[in-house]
Amino acid sequence: MRKPILAGNWKMNKTRDEAIHFLLSVEPNLPKDGVEAVICAPAIILRDLVKRSEVIHVGAQNMNENVSGAYTGEISPVMLKDTKVEYVILGHSERRAYYNETDEKINLKIARALEYELKPIVCVGEVLAERENGTTNKVLKTQIEGAFKDIVISNPDNIVIAYEPVWAIGTGKSATSAQAEDACKYIRELLANLYGAEVSDKIRILYGGSVNTKNIDELMSMPNIDGGLVGGASLKEADFITLCKGCVK
Ligand code: PEP
């Protein structure tokens, strides 16, 4: 019912030439259907990727919540829309940690992304101390309720959540499939409380955190995991293809 997504988060990696090379070698080898392949690339190469991609959907990694103005170094939703970008990652843990992004700020960004018909990939997840002291669900509740405060969802297909435990990102230490499933199931329950079960059942919830070609099949066998948000492994062409194939249920 929910079409899986394999979204690569390239972070601050790849030049334009490297990105085009990736597209040309990966696209012919992707599954024809059953998965939506997305690449969230550095802003400076988004236009090239949008122009050249035939199969892969293109996303940004961040966006300012304002439409225009004196925000040196920032990219606005109008600019992303003008570039024909489809997705935008919001609230990634690196943005929360290094650029002080709060749930309030992420809430404003989600509202603005939807206003400009950009599909947000909203990241939530606990840090190691929170997992260890048993407050994972409390953290997820605060983050989801904060991010979606007063947000109207008119099309649940256009909203994506990524459960990304911070301790699993870039560490090679993935959550177990059971831990990931528990968190994704809980996020779906939180969304059902906010929007009703019909909407919640349609929202794609991805797992992210050291996803690789070895653990993708087990993660994807879980009923509430609808794909992956992948950093490191998405940079490698062969791995990206395998991960996309692994998402086809
Ligand atoms: C990420 O950056 O969102 C991520 C999950 O990274 P990695 O796959 O490298 O852990």
Side-chain angles (χ1 to χ4, degrees):
M1 181 181 81
R2 298 182 294 266
K3 186 172 186 178
I5 294 180
L6 192 286
N9 174 15
W10 279 357
K11 312 193 187 193
M12 200 169 69
N13 293 292
K14 291 205 191 285
T15 61
R16 176 188 169 279
D17 285 355
E18 288 165 348
I20 301 293
H21 183 275
F22 181 100
L23 271 191
L24 293 176
S25 60
V26 163
E27 286 203 322
N29 298 300
L30 290 176
K32 295 283 167 281
D33 43 37
V35 62
E36 207 175 314
V38 180
I39 289 289
C40 297
I44 199 161
I45 58 173
L46 288 173
R47 191 175 291 278
D48 288 295
L49 285 184
V50 168
K51 267 198 201 140
R52 302 290 290 267
S53 69
E54 289 175 4
V55 181
I56 291 177
H57 302 246
V58 179
Q61 299 172 11
N62 178 38
M63 179 199 88
N64 191 280
E65 67 276 21
N66 295 290
V67 167
S68 63
Y71 302 99
T72 302
E74 290 290 274
I75 309 276
S76 85
V78 178
M79 294 164 189
L80 293 182
K81 193 73 200 148
D82 183 53
T83 308
K84 300 196 167 46
V85 161
E86 190 177 338
Y87 285 95
V88 57
I89 297 175
L90 297 177
H92 190 278
S93 63
E94 288 153 16
R95 304 260 356 144
R96 291 179 190 255
Y98 308 147
Y99 304 98
N100 303 319
E101 288 199 12
T102 59
D103 291 327
E104 291 73 25
K105 177 78 77 176
I106 294 157
N107 173 250
L108 294 175
K109 291 186 181 204
I110 295 171
R112 199 64 98 179
L114 293 175
E115 185 184 335
Y116 283 87
E117 296 172 325
L118 296 158
K119 301 176 184 171
I121 301 174
V122 182
C123 300
V124 294
E126 80 287 0
V127 299
L128 186 59
E130 292 161 341
R131 160 84 33 191
E132 286 177 347
N133 67 23
T135 53
T136 297
N137 282 5
K138 189 166 169 263
V139 171
L140 294 177
K141 187 172 193 295
T142 304
Q143 290 179 338
I144 291 286
E145 290 179 354
F148 284 92
K149 185 170 183 291
D150 299 331
I151 299 286
V152 176
I153 297 184
S154 49
N155 185 355
D157 294 340
N158 293 345
I159 306 277
V160 181
I161 313 281
Y163 167 60
E164 296 211 310
V166 180
W167 48 271
I169 297 178
T171 59
K173 187 180 183 302
S174 170
T176 64
S177 49
Q179 287 171 325
E181 167 63 16
D182 281 353
C184 291
K185 185 166 179 272
Y186 180 62
I187 290 168
R188 202 174 300 288
E189 282 164 19
L190 292 171
L191 293 168
N193 290 340
L194 294 174
Y195 297 105
E198 204 178 320
V199 169
S200 157
D201 279 348
K202 290 190 177 135
I203 294 177
R204 275 136 344 144
I205 304 178
L206 316 182
Y207 166 74
S210 298
V211 174
N212 58 46
T213 54
K214 296 200 171 65
N215 59 23
I216 187 72
D217 290 348
E218 201 186 326
L219 288 162
M220 287 305 294
S221 70
M222 297 291 138
N224 283 288
I225 300 180
D226 305 316
L229 178 57
V230 186
S234 76
L235 294 166
K236 300 176 209 142
E237 293 159 12
D239 285 9
F240 188 81
I241 295 165
T242 306
L243 290 168
C244 286
K245 288 181 179 164
C247 282
V248 179
K249 283 202 176 182

